[in-house]
Amino acid sequence: MKKILSIILIGLLIGLSTAYTSVYTQSPTLPPSNSNAVFKNWLNYYKQKNNQIQLSNFKLNSSKVIDNFPGNVIASYQENFDSTYIPLFVYNKDRTKYIDFESYSFFIEDNKVVNNTGEQEINVIDIANKENHRIAFRGFEEYVEDAFWQNDSTIILLEYNLQTKQPFINKICLNQQISYFYTLNSKVTVASDYYKQRLEKLGLTYSY
């Protein structure tokens, strides 16, 4: 009996391993640079700093299963929601969902000065179904600068790594629950104040 159970267990493990590998060997492409205004602006920002930084030089580097935990931020459908954060949210086309990558760490004062704890919890809020999911978390070495929806099930996070001093792109396929990371295929480094400029366009002052 033990031998039979062992054989079944090994078979299941092989099956899971095969499925796991098949997901990770997929190579989804990034959307065209002109497909979204946020994407185009972000790429142009870095290209102006160094012309080696362009979409064709971002290559798939790694992939991982996304976080799928209850979000720790207060969603817009909850009674004690603070509407001050609404301009920071990134909505999908029909505004039934939004990405919140800032309210976890931001404290917006009355004078519109933003104090940041240095960490980011990236959440997807489904307003229609009243669901709040954490899909990623960023510490002090890297952070999300901007984001957009490629479609209703695909999110693009535009990020910056403080350690390597390079921007990178994170494509998150919600249906597959997989996150794909695209990094530059060169050693070019660049300082960034894109995030500060983004907040200034929203009428906020970023306090380092």
Side-chain angles (χ1 to χ4, degrees):
M1 183 67 178
K2 288 182 179 179
K3 186 176 181 180
I4 294 172
L5 289 173
S6 296
I7 292 170
I8 293 172
L9 180 60
I10 290 169
L12 287 171
L13 289 172
I14 291 171
L16 286 172
S17 176
T18 302
Y20 182 85
T21 303
S22 66
V23 168
Y24 276 72
T25 53
Q26 294 178 16
S27 297
T29 57
L30 290 170
S33 59
N34 62 355
S35 63
N36 180 275
V38 170
F39 198 24
K40 183 178 180 179
N41 181 56
W42 185 79
L43 288 167
N44 284 341
Y45 169 84
Y46 281 106
K47 188 176 181 180
Q48 287 173 10
K49 285 182 167 289
N50 191 305
N51 60 16
Q52 292 184 54
I53 303 177
Q54 47 190 308
L55 184 57
S56 59
N57 287 334
F58 284 92
K59 304 299 180 184
L60 181 62
N61 178 278
S62 62
S63 57
K64 66 184 285 288
V65 176
I66 67 172
D67 293 350
N68 192 3
F69 308 119
N72 291 305
V73 299
I74 299 172
S76 62
Y77 53 77
Q78 294 179 279
E79 290 184 8
N80 52 347
F81 171 71
D82 184 351
S83 61
T84 306
Y85 293 101
I86 289 178
L88 297 168
F89 299 158
V90 179
Y91 287 88
N92 66 343
K93 190 174 182 179
D94 61 7
R95 298 182 72 84
T96 58
K97 301 175 185 176
Y98 65 87
I99 307 163
D100 176 3
F101 59 90
E102 288 162 319
S103 71
Y104 175 84
S105 59
F106 271 19
F107 299 94
I108 302 177
E109 299 176 3
D110 293 338
N111 58 357
K112 293 194 173 182
V113 172
V114 174
N115 288 300
N116 187 1
T117 63
E119 296 180 328
Q120 287 180 315
E121 180 175 291
I122 298 90
N123 296 277
V124 171
I125 314 297
D126 185 333
I127 302 170
N129 295 307
K130 294 186 176 181
E131 295 179 352
N132 179 358
H133 295 282
R134 165 182 150 176
I135 59 170
F137 191 87
R138 299 290 181 263
F140 295 96
E141 291 185 355
E142 54 193 21
Y143 59 94
V144 178
E145 295 188 306
D146 219 329
F148 67 94
W149 294 80
Q150 183 176 344
N151 54 53
D152 258 3
S153 62
T154 308
I155 290 168
I156 306 293
L157 301 181
L158 306 172
E159 309 197 41
Y160 182 77
N161 189 306
L162 288 164
Q163 189 173 28
T164 63
K165 292 182 170 55
Q166 287 190 332
F168 66 99
I169 302 169
N170 181 198
K171 179 171 182 172
I172 299 178
C173 300
L174 297 174
N175 288 345
Q176 297 177 5
Q177 299 280 289
I178 300 294
S179 187
Y180 299 92
F181 296 89
Y182 296 80
T183 57
L184 288 169
N185 61 351
S186 66
K187 294 181 179 180
V188 60
T189 60
V190 61
S192 175
D193 63 351
Y194 177 94
Y195 195 52
K196 178 175 177 288
Q197 290 184 24
R198 174 178 177 269
L199 293 178
E200 287 175 348
K201 289 176 182 177
L202 296 172
L204 300 170
T205 302
Y206 187 53
S207 176
Y208 291 91

